Structure formats: C-alpha cells, structure tokens
Amino acid sequence: MSRNVPQFKEKTGSNASLKGTLASVLLVGAFIVVSWFGIFFLFLSRS
Amino acid sequence: MHLHKYEKIWLLFGGGVLVLFILILSVNSFAMGMMPPSHMEMIDPTKVDQTPPFDNPGLRQVGDNEYELVMTAFIFGYAPNEIEIPAGAKVTFKVTSKDVVHGFAIPGTNVNMMITPGYISTLTHTFSDPGEYLILCNEYCGIGHQVMATRIVVKGKEGEKS
C-alpha cells in the first residue's frame, strides 16, 4: 500500500484495566477446576 | 515484552492447573495402572469361535472371589447371557467382537469400552454392591443395536459389603 492511511495509536500501557479480564479468567478457571475434580471423584467412587 | 501483573497471575494459574491435571493423570496411569482397556492383544476376527479362550466364553474362577469373564460380542447380543457372581467379586472382562464394532458398558460403573474386531479388550472391575447390572452396547452396530444388552447379577445379602 503506497497510500498513507491515518494511523490510530491507542496507548494501552498502564491505562488499560485488566481487572475485569482477571475476574472473568479466574471464574472460567474455577468452573474448569470444579468440574474436573467433580468428574474425577465420581470416577474414583465408581472404582 | 511487558506482562501486566494480572496477566502473570492468570498465566501462572492456568499453567499450574494444567500441570496439576497432567500430574494426577500420570500418577493414576503409570503408578496405579488406570489405563484404557486395550492392551493391544489381537485376534483374527474371522476365527473368534475357534480361538481360545473365546471358543468357550464364560465365567472362570481364578482366585478367592476373583473371576475371569470371557465374552464375545456379536450382532446383536453377548455370550454368555445372564451371568451371576457373588458380591465383592473382582471380575476381569475379556471381550472381543465376532463381526463389527460394538460397545460394552455397565451404567453406573467405570466399565465402558469399545469392542473392536481384531482386538481383545480387557478391563477389571470389583462388584461391591449386590444387584442387577445391565451390560449395554453403546456403539452403533446395526438395525438391532438398541436391543443389544445382557445382564450381570451380583448375588449377596442386601446391605452386606465386602
């Protein structure tokens, strides 16, 4: 592309809040861990 | 590359959880022998009825309350039909197919395996509780697949656990 396209540079350094992302990731992670151990102990109980 | 503090936290958490899962499964399989039912034992699927021990399927006692149950799966049933064992019996199932892929599952237990022609599937289970258990085909095998099942009856006093 030879034409100059207007560049938008957003400062994402320390301004972006990752608190919500952390909360969401930990929630999904907790769901995964709980369901994994739930099924694992079900398996063990059926042995 | 700059990592945010929160990114470090969830990467550690995610990676740590993965390592934990793999560790638990590794201990289970390598140290405690919890493996899939195939031991890569092969058999000629066209000669199942002539190959021991499948030429004489049935229940054999191999120890104190320990049994070996040799079974064949075929369209649309299992041999033997209607098996009886005492409560607390440790049963090793050895199953092969005489024709197509079948399933072998006892709902409510960990017995669940595919019976592939050409292979012998082996799995051991201890039947602690008396009752009637259903052996079900859970792999589509043809027009009579939905009626392919048999029973295993565990005899013992109600409430008696070994």
Side-chain angles (χ1 to χ4, degrees), chain B residues 66-133:
Chain B
E66 271 183 47
Y67 298 85
E68 186 184 71
L69 181 50
V70 172
M71 292 183 77
T72 54
F74 48 88
I75 282 170
F76 295 104
Y78 297 97
N81 228 337
E82 311 282 322
I83 305 127
E84 275 185 16
I85 47 166
K90 182 166 139 179
V91 178
T92 299
F93 295 93
K94 280 189 84 166
V95 194
T96 191
S97 168
K98 303 210 298 194
D99 34 56
V100 299
V101 177
H102 293 282
F104 192 97
I106 304 179
T109 70
N110 286 336
V111 179
N112 189 353
M113 49 186 189
M114 273 180 79
I115 314 300
T116 316
Y119 293 91
I120 301 171
S121 301
T122 310
L123 190 148
T124 306
H125 186 263
T126 304
F127 289 90
S128 318
D129 298 328
E132 197 178 290
Y133 295 83

Side-chain angles (χ1 to χ4, degrees), chain B residues 146-159:
Chain B
Q146 73 278 9
V147 297
M148 184 167 167
T150 189
R151 295 182 318 159
I152 182 162
V153 177
V154 180
K155 300 186 95 64
K157 296 203 195 81
E158 276 303 313

Side-chain angles (χ1 to χ4, degrees), chain B residues 6-102:
Chain B
Y6 289 165
E7 288 178 315
K8 288 202 188 92
I9 295 177
W10 73 58
L11 277 173
L12 225 72
F13 171 72
V17 164
L18 259 170
V19 167
L20 175 70
F21 287 167
I22 292 174
L23 219 78
I24 293 177
L25 290 180
S26 301
V27 167
N28 266 0
S29 53
F30 298 117
M32 294 168 66
M34 292 182 181
M35 293 271 202
S38 168
H39 302 125
M40 293 309 288
E41 267 188 272
M42 300 187 72
I43 186 173
D44 185 340
T46 58
K47 295 195 176 66
V48 172
D49 286 330
Q50 296 113 46
T51 313
F54 300 100
D55 54 349
N56 190 16
L59 190 68
R60 271 174 271 285
Q61 185 146 14
V62 293
D64 183 18
N65 220 6
E66 271 183 47
Y67 298 85
E68 186 184 71
L69 181 50
V70 172
M71 292 183 77
T72 54
F74 48 88
I75 282 170
F76 295 104
Y78 297 97
N81 228 337
E82 311 282 322
I83 305 127
E84 275 185 16
I85 47 166
K90 182 166 139 179
V91 178
T92 299
F93 295 93
K94 280 189 84 166
V95 194
T96 191
S97 168
K98 303 210 298 194
D99 34 56
V100 299
V101 177
H102 293 282

